[in-house]
Amino acid sequence: MSQPEQIQALKALRDWWAEMGVDADEAEIRALTKAARTSVGPAAPPQTARRPRAIPKEKRHEDWVEEARNLARAAATMADLKAAIEGFDGCLLKEAARNAACYDGVEGAPVMVIGEGPGAEEDKQGKPFVGRAGQLLDRMLAAIGLSRATNVFITNVNYWRPPGNRNPTDDELALCRPFVDRMVEIGQPKLIIAAGGVSAKSLLNASIGIMKLRGTEQMLETPGGYSAPLFPIFHPAFLLRRPEEKSRAWRDLLQIQERLEGLS
Ligand code: URA
């Protein structure tokens, strides 16, 4: 199929889904259309008299991580960091996302919550934890006197919504990591809450899962030399699916509350 035919076919598929009442994932369709536009079409007829055009070299993953590091290092404020993340083109997830969900809450707050990554609602609003899971997170925080309006800063280990809400890959997490570390260095939280296994494992470089990590106190150390205690908790989306786990989540919240009181 030629490129225009592929694009036409994708548009027809989307329209057909819409007619059938299927909720098409617009972001995914946009990404597929873009991929079709940039994919290599059928071989062009040989051009005998001309030299082949130089094909620009793709930037390697490690180069993008290095660029993320440089951008993050140069950021002095959260606003700088947000601008750097939004301008960063190294993560392919950005192609399909509507917005980067960078952060919400109070800059410089004593508590920083770090989640996994945006879902549909976060993608739409460009803010972390604003969907159903976010509402539960707000209630969990409120139960121990915390709120994004007064004493909590909220972010994620990945800023762009993965298609179909899959988990971010290790490469995608590595591309965001310099920004996450810098956010911790700028925000200087007294205590960090890692919401969910993806966040906890990635922040701690751990191979054990959330079932073993929750209820334990860990330490996050950034490359710039800032360190803070980190508490992994169950992800609120998990608790929505498994309400019977709320009692263990409650215990973890009480442990966090007690630790925070000791820090102030
Ligand atoms: N889940 C997360 O981990 N982060 C969000 O921002 C939303 C849902």
Side-chain angles (χ1 to χ4, degrees):
M1 219 189 277
S2 68
Q3 277 175 41
E5 282 168 344
Q6 281 182 45
I7 291 169
Q8 214 40 52
L10 283 165
K11 283 188 178 150
L13 176 65
R14 181 193 52 196
D15 294 345
W16 183 64
W17 279 353
E19 271 172 37
M20 302 293 289
V22 176
D23 188 15
D25 187 330
E26 274 298 319
E28 224 164 321
I29 291 287
R30 268 188 283 133
L32 288 168
T33 310
K34 182 162 181 180
R37 268 201 208 104
T38 52
S39 72
V40 180
Q47 297 185 339
T48 43
R50 292 210 198 129
R51 278 197 310 164
R53 255 188 303 154
I55 299 167
K57 264 204 186 139
E58 283 282 318
K59 228 175 179 168
R60 294 172 314 146
H61 170 73
E62 303 76 62
D63 299 332
W64 281 116
V65 174
E66 186 55 27
E67 180 167 330
R69 263 189 222 118
N70 293 335
L71 287 168
R73 219 176 284 134
T77 64
M78 291 294 186
D80 291 347
L81 209 43
K82 185 168 190 279
I85 293 165
E86 288 171 348
F88 180 64
D89 289 328
C91 185
L92 270 182
L93 291 177
K94 184 179 176 181
E95 300 290 346
R98 286 183 173 85
N99 289 296
C102 292
Y103 59 78
D104 195 20
V106 178
E107 293 179 25
V111 175
M112 182 179 283
V113 176
I114 309 183
E116 166 184 327
E121 199 51 40
E122 290 78 18
D123 180 51
K124 211 184 282 172
Q125 295 191 33
K127 281 184 188 171
F129 281 108
V130 288
R132 268 188 79 216
Q135 286 158 19
L136 176 56
L137 175 69
D138 285 342
R139 290 198 297 276
M140 290 163 68
L141 295 173
I144 53 167
L146 299 175
S147 150
R148 70 175 93 196
T150 53
N151 50 13
V152 177
F153 181 88
I154 303 185
T155 184
N156 280 314
V157 287
N158 161 50
Y159 306 107
W160 296 277
R161 183 194 181 199
N165 287 341
R166 66 162 169 77
N167 286 344
T169 65
D170 288 347
D171 276 0
E172 288 157 359
L173 291 168
L175 289 160
C176 294
R177 184 60 191 261
F179 300 116
V180 178
D181 282 328
R182 189 73 190 124
M183 231 175 250
V184 172
E185 286 163 8
I186 293 173
Q188 308 228 322
K190 285 185 184 162
L191 183 149
I192 295 167
I193 299 174
V198 170
S199 164
K201 283 174 73 175
S202 141
L203 288 168
L204 298 169
N205 261 324
S207 52
I208 52 171
I210 189 66
M211 290 295 170
K212 293 223 168 92
L213 286 171
R214 63 147 284 278
T216 67
E217 176 172 341
Q218 306 284 332
M219 183 63 78
L220 181 76
E221 282 171 7
T222 71
Y226 186 78
S227 58
L230 180 148
F231 290 79
I233 62 166
F234 285 140
H235 195 285
F238 170 76
L239 294 173
L240 287 171
R241 292 193 303 275
R242 300 270 299 272
E244 69 275 16
E245 295 290 359
K246 281 186 182 167
S247 57
R248 283 205 276 177
W250 176 235
R251 251 187 281 155
D252 299 344
L253 289 172
L254 291 177
Q255 182 193 18
I256 290 168
Q257 185 180 38
E258 196 180 320
R259 183 71 165 96
L260 251 182
E261 281 164 9
L263 288 168
S264 48

